[in-house]
């Protein structure tokens, strides 16, 4: 068994780094959590739920999550326009991680 030297290690080549590249950002985890908790959510509902997020930021962040294959966007051809967001199967695979984060927060936020 060999021990890798930290001088030769490249964090950007790890699974951790890849995961962080998908979920880091001020509101990405809040959006993922919202979709995990409520399933299918409309844009304005999410805007009301996530305090402090602007329409522009919410729209841009949802587009990033959609491009990364974590969020599904379904648009209905009606007037006024109706758009719903949900987690893709890939996004749903993050649920155990989000659940553990919630458990950890519930356990330690009282300290």
């Amino acid at each position: 068994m060999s021990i890798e030297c930290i001088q030769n290690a490249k964090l950007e080549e790890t699974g951790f780094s890849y995961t962080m590249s998908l979920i880091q950002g001020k509101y990405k985890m809040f959006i993922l959590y919202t979709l995990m908790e409520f399933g299918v959510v409309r844009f304005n509902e999410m805007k009301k739920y996530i305090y402090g997020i602007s329409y522009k930021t919410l729209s841009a962040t949802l587009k990033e999550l959609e491009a990364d294959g974590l969020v599904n966007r379904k648009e209905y051809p009606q007037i006024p326009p109706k758009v719903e967001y949900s987690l893709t199967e890939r996004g749903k695979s993050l649920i155990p991680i989000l659940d553990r984060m919630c458990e950890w927060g519930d356990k330690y936020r009282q300290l």
Side-chain angles (χ1 to χ4, degrees):
M1 177 163 103
S2 68
I3 298 176
E4 187 174 347
C5 178
I6 195 165
Q7 292 175 340
N8 300 326
K10 294 182 177 147
L11 181 62
E12 69 273 6
E13 294 176 0
T14 65
F16 177 80
S17 181
Y18 176 72
T19 302
M20 290 303 296
S21 75
L22 297 179
I23 64 172
Q24 69 186 4
K26 186 170 182 179
Y27 293 104
K28 284 185 178 182
M29 292 296 287
F30 290 101
I31 291 169
L32 293 169
Y33 174 80
T34 302
L35 295 173
M36 177 188 82
E37 283 294 309
F38 301 105
V40 177
V41 180
R42 294 181 68 180
F43 185 90
N44 285 330
E45 293 171 330
M46 196 173 311
K47 167 73 174 84
K48 289 176 187 174
Y49 185 73
I50 303 172
Y51 179 78
I53 192 169
S54 70
Y55 288 102
K56 182 179 177 180
T57 300
L58 178 57
S59 179
T61 306
L62 283 165
K63 285 178 184 172
E64 288 175 20
L65 291 168
E66 184 182 6
D68 290 333
L70 299 175
V71 170
N72 182 51
R73 179 182 191 270
K74 185 172 182 182
E75 189 172 339
Y76 295 90
Q78 66 184 52
I79 302 209
K82 178 181 175 183
V83 179
E84 294 178 336
Y85 295 90
S86 60
L87 292 175
T88 62
E89 288 304 314
R90 186 177 188 194
K92 288 176 184 176
S93 70
L94 289 169
I95 289 176
I97 296 166
L98 296 172
D99 278 337
R100 292 288 296 142
M101 291 176 70
C102 291
E103 290 170 13
W104 188 91
D106 287 340
K107 182 176 180 179
Y108 291 104
R109 72 177 166 178
Q110 301 301 325
L111 298 179

